[in-house]
Amino acid sequence: MAIKHITGALTLLLALASQPVMAGNLDVLLSGIFPDKQATYIGYESIEREDIPATSAVERKYLIVDFRFESEPPQEQLQANVHRVCMALLKDRELIRSLSDSGYDMVAVAFDRKSQFDCL
């Protein structure tokens, strides 16, 4: 019985310890995507979809990564910027694995408060 408690405590400790690493890696990765200051990374938000039942096989969590432009780019440049962010995320396999293990099934990119674009 004591081994179960130790194993459970160790699992919880490892899960808690891995969360800041993911967040730190995510912040470092995203803040370096636009070094030319086209857009500034301002953070991310974890969203849990209430419209999906908790008993569903579909994950309920997704992540929104948020950027802001100093000046609004032309509309045709917006898709290229979304692609730039999504590809940076996809190339970091460890980060994607960590997000997936944490229950995220989608990442979206936002450049304003009106719209977001799905990556994966």
Side-chain angles (χ1 to χ4, degrees):
M1 190 76 149
I3 292 176
K4 273 188 175 179
H5 290 298
I6 292 170
T7 304
L10 183 58
T11 301
L12 179 60
L13 181 63
L14 289 173
L16 291 174
S18 69
Q19 287 302 100
V21 172
M22 181 200 71
N25 290 344
L26 187 61
D27 287 335
V28 169
L29 174 69
L30 295 175
S31 62
I33 290 179
F34 296 101
D36 51 0
K37 301 298 181 201
Q38 282 177 296
T40 301
Y41 170 66
I42 61 171
Y44 65 90
E45 184 177 358
S46 177
I47 305 294
E48 187 161 346
R49 295 184 53 189
E50 298 295 327
D51 60 325
I52 297 176
T55 56
S56 173
V58 175
E59 294 291 346
R60 298 166 36 123
K61 288 177 17 178
Y62 72 98
L63 199 67
I64 299 175
V65 295
D66 211 355
F67 295 83
R68 291 295 180 270
F69 294 110
E70 266 189 41
S71 59
E72 194 68 29
Q75 188 62 29
E76 59 274 2
Q77 186 64 33
L78 185 61
Q79 184 64 35
N81 289 329
V82 171
H83 180 73
R84 188 175 189 175
V85 173
C86 293
M87 290 309 296
L89 289 166
L90 286 170
K91 287 179 183 178
D92 191 331
R93 291 177 187 236
E94 184 178 323
L95 177 63
I96 294 299
R97 189 175 304 112
S98 177
L99 288 170
S100 181
D101 290 347
S102 297
Y104 292 97
D105 68 344
M106 186 177 70
V107 176
V109 179
F111 293 106
D112 58 37
R113 293 206 175 272
K114 299 178 287 186
S115 54
Q116 61 190 33
F117 305 89
D118 296 344
C119 276
L120 42 121

